[in-house]
């Protein structure tokens, strides 16, 4: 059974810092991995999708990497801003195209 | 707007009632899903459905049933609601071989059973 863990569970940083969010999964036989953002009381917004054949994806200040062999993914956020404050969720694609989610990292960026 | 939309956004109901949550997607995806986010904010798959196959998470009580009138809609019907059913329910869609496109989620329905 796939298990996804995100570390840290919560993170508070001053504005402008570069930061790394970690995601690990127990079964390396994943298809793809997707990072989402969830604002309080809101739905999930897709940030980056990494296909199983890729090692990283970039979008603006975000960069996500994937190392299937070690069961790890990282989300790098450059020059953090208060607007980046949210919960970040990592999800791996399993058979049947269903997602297994991590518990999320709650990020607070202070002005 | 291309999106996954679900209604209602909020639903408050009494124990024992039957209720439905509607979901529609206009993205042309062939697969739709229901996920549940519990009080600890943990998201878990409930159902995966396309026009060929329904996959049910074995932990989902049979009081929950998906109903799909067509490829663009997947409604969630819940019988005999219980207090423990209170959660946020998210609808989502993707292509079955979703690798190239990933998931798109709706904005969620917050269900409160009193």
């Amino acid at each position: 059974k796939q298990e996804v863990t995100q570390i840290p569970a919560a993170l508070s940083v001053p504005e402008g810092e570069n930061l790394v969010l970690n995601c690990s999964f127990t079964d390396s036989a994943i298809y793809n991995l997707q990072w989402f953002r969830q604002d309080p009381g809101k739905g999930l917004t897709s940030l980056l999708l990494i296909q199983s054949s890729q090692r990283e994806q970039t979008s603006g200040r975000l960069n996500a990497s994937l190392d299937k062999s070690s069961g790890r993914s990282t989300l790098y956020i450059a020059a953090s801003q208060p607007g980046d404050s949210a919960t970040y969720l990592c999800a791996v694609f399993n058979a049947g195209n269903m997602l297994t989610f991590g518990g999320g990292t709650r990020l607070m960026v202070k002005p | 707007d291309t999106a996954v939309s679900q209604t209602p956004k909020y639903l408050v109901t009494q124990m024992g009632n039957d209720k439905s949550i509607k979901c529609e997607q206009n993205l042309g995806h062939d697969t739709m899903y229901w996920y549940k986010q519990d009080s600890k904010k943990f998201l878990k798959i409930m159902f995966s459905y396309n026009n060929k196959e329904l996959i049910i998470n074995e932990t989902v009580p049979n009081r929950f049933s998906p109903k799909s009138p067509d490829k663009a809609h997947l409604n969630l019907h819940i019988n005999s609601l219980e207090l423990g059913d209170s959660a946020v329910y998210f609808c989502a869609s993707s292509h079955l071989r979703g690798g190239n496109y990933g998931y798109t989620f709706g904005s969620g329905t917050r269900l409160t059973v009193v």
Side-chain angles (χ1 to χ4, degrees):
Chain A
K1 178 184 174 184
Q2 178 75 271
E3 293 184 2
V4 181
T5 303
Q6 291 187 243
I7 295 174
L11 182 63
S12 181
V13 300
E15 182 177 6
E17 274 203 6
N18 301 325
L19 53 99
V20 175
L21 308 182
N22 296 293
C23 172
S24 61
F25 43 93
T26 54
D27 184 351
S28 62
I30 67 170
Y31 293 87
N32 304 295
L33 185 145
Q34 193 164 1
W35 282 92
F36 295 89
R37 166 186 174 141
Q38 185 174 26
D39 293 283
K42 303 291 185 182
L44 279 70
T45 300
S46 177
L47 297 174
L48 290 165
L49 169 69
I50 309 178
Q51 298 177 34
S52 60
S53 60
Q54 298 174 323
R55 295 191 66 84
E56 66 177 325
Q57 279 285 345
T58 298
S59 175
R61 293 182 294 107
L62 305 179
N63 175 276
S65 67
L66 174 62
D67 184 343
K68 287 180 60 177
S69 62
S70 66
R72 295 178 185 275
S73 176
T74 61
L75 179 67
Y76 175 81
I77 303 177
S80 58
Q81 303 171 357
D84 295 330
S85 298
T87 296
Y88 290 80
L89 295 161
C90 165
V92 300
F93 285 68
N94 306 300
N97 215 47
M98 288 183 282
L99 296 179
T100 300
F101 280 87
T105 295
R106 295 188 309 280
L107 173 65
M108 173 70 72
V109 181
K110 298 179 179 179
Chain B
D1 289 343
T2 55
V4 177
S5 57
Q6 50 183 113
T7 56
K9 188 172 178 63
Y10 300 96
L11 181 56
V12 181
T13 188
Q14 291 185 331
M15 286 177 54
N17 285 350
D18 302 339
K19 290 293 180 184
S20 292
I21 305 172
K22 295 184 177 181
C23 180
E24 175 182 6
Q25 57 95 5
N26 62 4
L27 298 165
H29 288 164
D30 58 16
T31 307
M32 297 183 72
Y33 313 83
W34 280 102
Y35 282 78
K36 178 180 179 181
Q37 188 171 41
D38 60 25
S39 58
K40 296 183 178 180
K41 307 300 183 185
F42 207 71
L43 274 154
K44 288 188 177 179
I45 181 73
M46 298 179 70
F47 303 102
S48 166
Y49 185 84
N50 66 18
N51 59 1
K52 297 178 182 178
E53 186 176 16
L54 171 66
I55 301 174
I56 303 172
N57 184 322
E58 60 187 12
T59 66
V60 175
N62 58 15
R63 297 181 295 102
F64 290 78
S65 58
K67 299 184 187 302
S68 180
D70 55 57
K71 288 174 57 175
H73 296 82
L74 182 66
N75 304 324
L76 180 64
H77 190 75
I78 315 170
N79 290 326
S80 303
L81 278 156
E82 300 178 356
L83 293 176
D85 297 332
S86 296
V88 182
Y89 294 85
F90 287 97
C91 178
S93 69
S94 78
H95 286 291
L96 180 59
R97 307 301 176 200
N100 290 337
Y101 303 100
Y103 269 57
T104 301
F105 277 82
S107 57
T109 295
R110 182 174 295 277
L111 171 65
T112 303
V113 183
V114 297

